[in-house]
């Protein structure tokens, strides 16, 4: 069985980092459009469409905690310039300057280079989105060498699926595509030892295209491998027999069942049960608490239907919340179903800091529409997703 050479591993890591920069850049572009920082601007009697002022963006990065200071903000945007994500509107400056200069995302003016590498990246993203959007996906949680991995697939399964979906014409073409995805850092053998084969070798998507990136991740080009192997990675759940005192979000038990605490900060569980101690005194065991402690009486004054939420002129406003989980969770409880609502919010947790309130209805989780789902399914989506959570909620207008 062919093993990966060091040069191929290095190439895949470099391509993986490039992909992470593109994803982070695109997420930033969409946020800036949403925040109206990107717009048509006039300068010297000329209008420049879809651009931003560098100095204003640096302020925005600091205000939104994407950069701790102006120097870091400049370095982050220079990374995007170096990777042809943004450029000066007249291409008169090759460096990002923290000044009243106009810059633009290349995707907004059609100058983003569609190289072979970018096309492979876009193909990988398309396949990923297609796979995670189907109910009976080949992407599953599997175990190898006492480690559980998320979003994994067998090489032969991927080949079968590619042919079945009409993505390729034959098995040889499927293997060539798999090898291109691996060499570009999009998929990998879970132990990073083998190339892609049409066999029962276990692979995973190295890139989680839906994970919200923190821009500061881009400053460490060596972080790609560290992130994917980190205990907090969205792919590696936990070793089976974790060390004592491990306070991970998920705990994989020896009976191979994954026990999940619903999307809730652990201190919220204790406060709901009447415990005055805001945190557990001992290392917590992550199992479902008793029903009486986790299912208090609904905070809703009356039942609300999806039809009522979505009807024209309904007294509800949609809000987007970005919640970065801390060491003990996100700090809220979801309950109900079709639609689900926020039952409790830890006043000192990340969710409260992001603007979450009780009685809000959950519209989407990380881009997935969830009004038709029950709270157990939504909790599972949250717990198996990235630590940075993007939720859309519907809030009643007072």
């Amino acid at each position: 069985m062919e093993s990966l050479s060091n040069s191929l591993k290095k190439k895949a890591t470099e391509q993986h980092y490039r992909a992470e920069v593109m994803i982070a850049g695109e997420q930033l572009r969409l946020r800036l459009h949403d925040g109206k920082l990107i717009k048509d601007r006039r300068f010297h009697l000329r209008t420049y469409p879809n651009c931003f002022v560098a100095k204003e963006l640096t302020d925005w990065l600091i205000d939104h905690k994407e950069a701790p200071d102006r120097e870091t903000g400049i370095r982050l945007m220079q990374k995007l310039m170096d990777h042809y994500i943004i450029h000066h509107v007249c291409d008169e400056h090759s460096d990002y300057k923290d000044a009243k200069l106009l810059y633009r995302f290349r995707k907004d003016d059609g100058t983003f280079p569609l190289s072979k590498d970018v096309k492979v990246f876009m193909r990988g993203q398309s396949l990923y989105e297609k796979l995670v959007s189907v109910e009976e996906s080949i992407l599953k949680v599997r175990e190898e060498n006492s480690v559980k991995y998320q979003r994994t697939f067998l090489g032969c399964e991927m080949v079968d699926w590619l042919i079945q979906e009409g993505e390729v014409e034959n098995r040889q073409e499927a293997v060539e595509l798999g090898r291109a995805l691996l060499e570009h850092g999009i998929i990998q053998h879970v132990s990073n030892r083998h190339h892609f084969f049409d066999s029962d070798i276990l692979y995973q998507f190295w890139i989680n295209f839906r994970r919200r990136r923190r821009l500061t991740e881009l400053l460490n080009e060596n972080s790609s491998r560290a992130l994917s192997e980190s205990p907090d990675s969205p792919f590696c759940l936990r070793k089976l027999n974790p060390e004592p005192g491990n306070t991970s979000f998920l705990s994989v038990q020896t009976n191979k069942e994954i026990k999940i605490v619903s999307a809730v900060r652990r201190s919220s569980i204790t406060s709901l049960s009447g415990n005055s101690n805001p945190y557990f005194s001992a290392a917590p065991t992550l199992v479902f608490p008793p029903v009486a402690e986790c299912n208090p009486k609904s905070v809703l004054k009356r039942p609300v239907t999806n039809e009522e939420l979505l009807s024209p002129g309904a007294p509800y406003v949609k809000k987007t919340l970005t919640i970065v989980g801390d060491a003990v969770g996100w700090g809220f409880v979801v309950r109900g179903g079709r639609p689900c609502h926020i039952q409790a919010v830890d006043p000192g947790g990340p969710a409260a800091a992001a603007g979450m309130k009780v009685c809000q209805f959950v519209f989407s989780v990380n881009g997935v529409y969830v009004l038709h789902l029950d709270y157990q399914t939504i909790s599972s989506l949250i717990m198996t997703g990235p630590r940075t959570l993007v939720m859309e909620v519907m809030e009643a207008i007072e």
Side-chain angles (χ1 to χ4, degrees):
M1 188 68 70
E2 179 186 355
S3 298
L4 285 178
S5 65
N6 289 334
S7 60
L8 189 53
K9 289 180 182 180
K10 181 180 178 181
K11 176 189 174 183
T13 300
E14 291 172 349
Q15 292 289 349
H16 177 84
Y17 176 76
R18 164 68 170 154
E20 290 288 341
V21 174
M22 286 193 289
I23 295 172
E26 178 63 8
Q27 290 178 350
L28 176 63
R29 185 181 75 89
L30 295 175
R31 291 175 69 190
L32 295 179
H33 271 287
D34 188 54
K36 310 299 183 188
L37 263 74
I38 293 178
K39 57 186 178 182
D40 296 352
R41 299 174 186 269
R42 287 187 63 82
F43 184 73
H44 287 176
L45 303 179
R46 178 179 175 183
T47 299
Y48 296 88
N50 294 323
C51 57
F52 59 88
V53 178
K55 191 174 187 302
E56 291 180 5
L57 180 53
T58 307
D59 293 336
W60 185 93
L61 292 173
I62 295 172
D63 291 343
H64 288 75
K65 302 188 187 310
E66 290 290 353
D69 49 51
R70 305 194 77 82
E71 180 183 355
T72 303
I74 295 169
R75 291 171 60 203
L76 289 171
M77 299 312 294
Q78 186 62 49
K79 283 287 183 184
L80 298 187
M81 289 198 73
D82 294 342
H83 286 81
Y84 302 98
I85 307 296
I86 64 173
H87 67 125
H88 180 255
V89 291
C90 297
D91 290 320
E92 294 177 352
H93 301 279
S94 59
D95 295 333
Y96 181 81
K97 299 183 183 299
D98 185 20
K100 291 184 178 180
L101 295 175
L102 299 181
Y103 292 82
R104 183 187 292 129
F105 280 82
R106 291 186 178 274
K107 271 200 171 183
D108 286 332
D109 62 12
T111 62
F112 185 71
L114 286 177
S115 63
K116 178 183 176 182
D117 293 339
V118 172
K119 290 179 180 178
V120 173
F121 164 81
M122 294 173 67
R123 184 76 183 277
Q125 183 176 26
S126 174
L127 294 175
Y128 178 87
E129 293 295 341
K130 194 172 182 179
L131 281 164
V132 299
S133 299
V134 297
E135 292 185 2
E136 298 297 327
S137 175
I138 63 172
L139 302 186
K140 293 181 173 64
V141 177
R142 293 182 175 90
E143 174 189 341
E144 181 167 291
N145 296 328
S146 298
V147 177
K148 291 268 185 176
Y149 296 93
Q150 208 174 16
R151 298 183 179 91
T152 67
F153 56 89
L154 301 178
C156 55
E157 286 182 337
M158 177 61 78
V159 171
D160 291 340
W161 181 83
L162 289 170
I163 296 174
Q164 176 185 328
E165 294 297 316
E167 295 286 346
V168 296
E169 293 185 358
N170 51 58
R171 304 191 79 82
Q172 179 179 351
E173 188 177 332
V175 171
E176 291 174 355
L177 175 57
R179 291 193 159 222
L181 295 176
L182 188 143
E183 290 173 8
H184 284 77
I186 296 169
I187 66 172
Q188 66 172 356
H189 174 245
V190 292
S191 300
N192 199 32
R193 291 200 300 263
H194 300 296
H195 214 311
F196 184 82
F197 291 97
D198 182 6
S199 66
D200 59 357
I201 295 178
L202 190 61
Y203 301 89
Q204 68 178 168
F205 269 88
W206 188 359
I207 296 177
N208 180 351
F209 287 91
R210 293 186 173 184
R211 181 177 71 85
R212 171 75 175 276
R213 270 69 178 170
R214 292 194 64 81
L215 292 177
T216 49
E217 294 176 21
L218 305 183
L219 296 180
N220 184 5
E221 296 192 31
N222 298 319
S223 65
S224 297
R225 174 62 54 190
L227 279 171
S228 67
E229 295 177 348
S230 159
D232 293 323
S233 165
F235 303 109
C236 175
L237 295 184
R238 283 292 179 266
K239 287 193 174 182
L240 293 179
N241 304 319
E243 296 178 1
N246 190 329
T247 57
S248 59
F249 292 122
L250 300 179
S251 176
V252 181
Q253 308 297 323
T254 53
N255 62 4
K256 298 185 181 181
E257 293 181 357
I258 301 176
K259 297 188 177 181
I260 303 174
V261 174
S262 297
V264 59
R265 186 180 175 90
R266 291 176 202 136
S267 56
S268 297
I269 298 177
T270 56
S271 61
L272 287 172
S273 63
N275 189 337
S276 60
N277 185 357
Y279 297 96
F280 289 107
S281 58
T285 56
L286 299 186
V287 296
F288 287 109
V291 173
E293 296 179 355
C294 264
N295 288 284
K297 184 178 178 181
S298 174
V299 295
L300 298 179
K301 295 180 179 179
R302 63 176 182 84
V304 177
T305 65
N306 285 335
E307 290 74 16
E308 181 179 347
L309 282 177
L310 300 176
S311 62
Y316 295 93
V317 61
K318 187 190 296 184
K319 295 184 176 181
T320 301
L321 308 178
T322 301
I323 309 166
V324 181
D326 60 16
V328 291
W330 293 270
F332 67 96
V333 178
V334 177
R335 284 294 177 265
R338 306 177 184 88
C340 290
H341 64 274
I342 304 302
Q343 174 71 16
V345 180
D346 180 354
M356 180 171 283
K357 304 174 184 177
V358 296
C359 297
Q360 290 174 333
F361 295 94
V362 184
F363 184 87
S364 71
V365 173
N366 293 328
V368 179
Y369 175 78
V370 297
L371 278 182
H372 62 296
L373 301 179
D374 56 32
Y375 78 86
Q376 293 97 333
T377 305
I378 291 179
S379 296
S380 179
L381 275 175
I382 295 170
M383 291 301 298
T384 57
R387 175 169 290 191
T388 300
L389 175 65
V390 180
M391 291 180 64
E392 287 183 300
V393 296
M394 305 284 288
E395 181 179 316
I397 301 174
E398 298 180 356

